[in-house]
Amino acid sequence: MASKQVERVLIVGAGIAGMSAAIALRRNGVAVDLIDIGTDWTVTGAGLTITGPTLRAFRQLGVYDEIAAQGYAGEGIRVCGVDGEPIRDIPTPMPPEARVCGSGGIARPVLYKILSSRVLADGVRPRFGMAVENITHEGDGVDVTFSDGTTGRYGMVVGADGIYSRTREQIFPGAPRPEYTGQSVWRMFVPRPPGVDRRHYFLGGEAKVGWTPISATQMYMFVVERTPRVARKPHELPGGLAGLLEPYGGYVRQFRASISGDTGIVFRPLESFDLPGPWHSGRVILIGDAAHPTTPQLASGAGIAVEDALVLAEELVRHGSVAETFDAFTARREQRCRLVVESSIEIGRLEQQQAPPEAQTAVVERVLAKLTEPV
């Protein structure tokens, strides 16, 4: 049931956080306007690793069955050495009541298709190529001026516009900006060999190599590298990635041999920042990477973004008023999201120090176990 105080919400950003918020709010009867500065649903990156807690969030959102059918859902993480030989398996159990697997993966374009189809089915018609020029709090609402000169009035504005959030800059002009963590990540799609049934990490070398199944026939491989911040030209990517993979054995050797000048490789620096809570001002709130961007070491960025959306919708129904909703949201979200962000940075530091695999996986196990607890 929609709140009498919040009958219409503006969501800025049509990525995973924004689409999830649109779905969750529409389910509760709230009218939603969704805008994005891009010209269409923009998909960056290759694949997405999905933890058990993230799969639980997708089930609560109503899209788990589609993700399991079109992506990958399984159990466990296998840790290997540089030579490709297994060191140990990390279990990824979820509570039985969650009714989800403990690990998963999906191609980002497939996930966007699933979420965007649900958004459209819920009657939300996104406006692309649109930004917010001005936000003014006026009485019991927010007056918004858009980049095309149109205006709107809303009971709440949700900033879901990512790590470079313009909404964050508008409500917190002095907020920290993204900073390079000292690592960059390479990603590419590779075939899924018969018998590969789980995520893999290859630890102990100068780079961290891993892969995640994303369908019955496909995986995406990633390489996390410690390096000064560099801009790489497209023609440099195949040779650069092949060089990093040269010491690694097992199936990695096969994947390295397949790299050519036509191979699609995504390379990007890893950035983060720490924005102290609360992540709201007046009737405007930040969710997802706009509030708490995380590096990919725990594969939980998408998960905590979807959780944000679910919790915001739940608390709006529970409390009705924006102030009470935002306070309850902060109480449920800040500590959990901070755990993911800080632990991901900690793992990144251990990777850069070439710490023993046991030290790196200990943090992963500890935090994933904590995240299985109720949201």
Side-chain angles (χ1 to χ4, degrees):
M1 177 179 292
S3 163
K4 292 183 179 179
Q5 291 195 18
V6 183
E7 295 180 352
R8 180 170 292 276
V9 171
L10 172 66
I11 301 174
V12 184
I16 294 173
M19 287 190 284
S20 299
I23 294 166
L25 289 167
R26 286 296 300 132
R27 187 164 58 194
N28 292 333
V30 179
V32 170
D33 284 357
L34 177 62
I35 69 167
D36 194 280
I37 198 169
T39 56
D40 202 340
W41 265 294
T42 302
V43 184
T44 58
L48 184 74
T49 301
I50 310 175
T51 65
T54 301
L55 290 171
R56 176 177 58 193
F58 279 131
R59 176 173 283 284
Q60 293 169 342
L61 195 65
V63 296
Y64 173 76
D65 290 343
E66 293 168 273
I67 288 172
Q70 299 180 46
Y72 151 79
E75 301 292 343
I77 303 169
R78 178 154 296 163
V79 181
C80 302
V82 174
D83 59 1
E85 292 299 313
I87 297 174
R88 61 172 297 225
D89 286 351
I90 300 175
T92 56
M94 287 294 292
E97 61 271 19
R99 296 181 296 124
V100 298
C101 291
S103 181
I106 196 166
R108 283 182 179 268
V110 175
L111 176 61
Y112 268 58
K113 180 64 175 177
I114 292 170
L115 293 176
S116 62
S117 295
R118 185 63 59 92
V119 168
L120 294 173
D122 288 341
V124 179
R125 295 294 178 264
R127 290 185 290 167
F128 291 102
M130 185 82 70
V132 172
E133 290 295 330
N134 188 58
I135 299 173
T136 304
H137 287 84
E138 187 65 39
D140 59 355
V142 183
D143 292 322
V144 175
T145 303
F146 297 102
S147 53
D148 66 351
T150 60
T151 61
R153 184 170 177 81
Y154 302 92
M156 180 193 301
V157 174
V158 180
D161 45 347
I163 189 171
Y164 304 111
S165 170
R166 188 172 178 181
T167 308
R168 184 179 64 246
E169 295 178 357
Q170 289 168 326
I171 65 171
F172 299 128
R177 295 182 177 275
E179 294 185 358
Y180 182 54
T181 66
Q183 291 178 296
S184 294
V185 62
W186 308 67
R187 294 185 174 100
M188 64 178 282
F189 290 117
V190 297
R192 180 178 173 181
V196 173
D197 63 351
R198 64 191 62 203
R199 293 162 54 188
H200 280 60
Y201 294 148
F202 298 81
L203 304 180
E206 292 188 7
K208 175 184 180 180
V209 178
W211 66 56
T212 295
I214 57 172
S215 74
T217 60
Q218 198 173 37
M219 306 192 299
Y220 88 90
M221 185 170 66
F222 59 85
V223 179
V224 182
E225 174 193 19
R226 177 184 178 181
T227 177
R229 183 161 191 159
V230 292
R232 297 187 182 273
K233 298 177 180 178
H235 73 270
E236 299 174 330
L237 297 180
L241 181 55
L244 283 172
L245 295 177
E246 199 279 330
Y248 292 83
Y251 282 120
V252 176
R253 185 175 295 114
Q254 173 183 319
F255 300 145
R256 176 181 180 271
S258 73
I259 296 174
S260 70
D262 297 327
T263 302
I265 299 170
V266 177
F267 174 86
R268 74 176 182 89
L270 298 182
E271 297 177 307
S272 188
F273 62 80
D274 179 22
L275 178 65
W279 300 314
H280 59 83
S281 177
R283 288 176 172 264
V284 184
I285 190 167
L286 305 175
I287 67 172
D289 282 351
H292 44 73
T294 180
T295 55
Q297 274 78 3
L298 282 167
S300 296
I304 56 176
V306 177
E307 289 177 359
D308 280 353
L310 293 165
V311 170
L312 182 63
E314 289 173 7
E315 295 300 340
L316 181 59
V317 169
R318 182 174 289 122
H319 296 286
S321 80
V322 171
E324 290 175 316
T325 296
F326 287 0
D327 286 345
F329 175 91
T330 300
R332 289 178 64 183
R333 298 305 300 152
E334 186 173 6
Q335 185 175 358
R336 184 177 176 90
C337 295
R338 195 168 297 283
L339 172 69
V340 170
V341 173
E342 292 177 353
S343 300
S344 297
I345 294 294
E346 179 184 356
I347 296 169
R349 290 196 197 100
L350 292 171
E351 291 169 354
Q352 294 183 63
Q353 294 165 6
Q354 296 185 38
E358 297 79 9
Q360 299 181 40
T361 58
V363 182
V364 175
E365 287 187 272
R366 170 175 58 83
V367 179
L368 288 183
K370 184 70 176 176
L371 292 177
T372 63
E373 297 176 2
V375 177

